[in-house]
Amino acid sequence: MKKILGLVAIMTIATTAFTYAQSKTDVALNQALTAYYDVKNALATDKKDLAIEKVKSLSAKINAVNHKDLPADQHKIFLEQAAIIKSKAAQLAGSNDIKTQRKAFEGISYAMIKTLKGLKFNSQTVYVQHCPMAKASWLNEKENIENPYYGSMMFDCGDVAETIKSN
């Protein structure tokens, strides 16, 4: 009986530790998602200098994610997509041309979409939106379209392709 109780106690502690580590990782991922929204909002409002500032914050938030506690399959997804996000973030930050920034943001967006779908960390509903003119998608915290690929030129061009409910 003592062995069974001991085993149950160990399993409870391990599960609690894993859940706590997972929740800390989810918090960090949600902070990265918020930083992503800041970049999206800057591009949607044609603020290329602000986009540079915000994408640096996004890179820092991605670097701050304690991914070592993720299960193996999620860890692999995170590492692959984080590398893309950081690479494209560097491209965006290194350009003063808003068209180049928007092209880099497309890569960031697809990596964030894959990360979100693979890790299911969102604490709020997320809208995957798509612009047929740009042939590109992005994540939005609001259901209303805010097109980062065309900005003020076609601010509300696009549609909600998918709604990802909070976890």
Side-chain angles (χ1 to χ4, degrees), residues 16-32:
T16 302
F18 175 75
T19 303
Y20 178 72
Q22 186 70 33
S23 67
K24 282 177 64 176
T25 302
D26 286 355
V27 167
L29 286 164
N30 276 289
Q31 289 173 348

Side-chain angles (χ1 to χ4, degrees), residues 32-130:
L33 183 59
T34 298
Y36 166 87
Y37 292 147
D38 291 343
V39 178
K40 183 263 308 168
N41 291 333
L43 292 172
T45 55
D46 304 323
K47 296 177 181 164
K48 63 183 181 178
D49 293 334
L50 183 60
I52 291 170
E53 176 188 322
K54 296 301 183 180
V55 83
K56 290 175 183 175
S57 176
L58 172 59
S59 253
K61 296 291 185 191
I62 291 293
N63 283 332
V65 173
N66 184 8
H67 54 84
K68 293 178 180 95
D69 292 329
L70 292 170
D73 58 332
Q74 291 183 353
H75 188 250
K76 182 178 185 234
I77 291 168
F78 177 80
L79 288 178
E80 289 170 352
Q81 300 313 311
I84 294 168
I85 292 167
K86 290 187 281 189
S87 170
K88 295 296 181 180
Q91 286 177 11
L92 193 155
S95 177
N96 282 322
D97 176 57
I98 199 157
K99 287 183 181 180
T100 303
Q101 289 178 337
R102 286 177 168 147
K103 189 64 183 166
F105 182 72
E106 183 179 340
I108 293 169
S109 291
Y110 282 110
M112 284 296 292
I113 291 167
K114 285 181 183 177
T115 302
L116 179 64
K117 287 182 175 183
L119 278 59
K120 298 174 179 55
F121 61 83
N122 55 307
S123 61
Q124 307 249 337
T125 299
V126 177
Y127 302 93
V128 179
Q129 298 179 339
H130 181 79

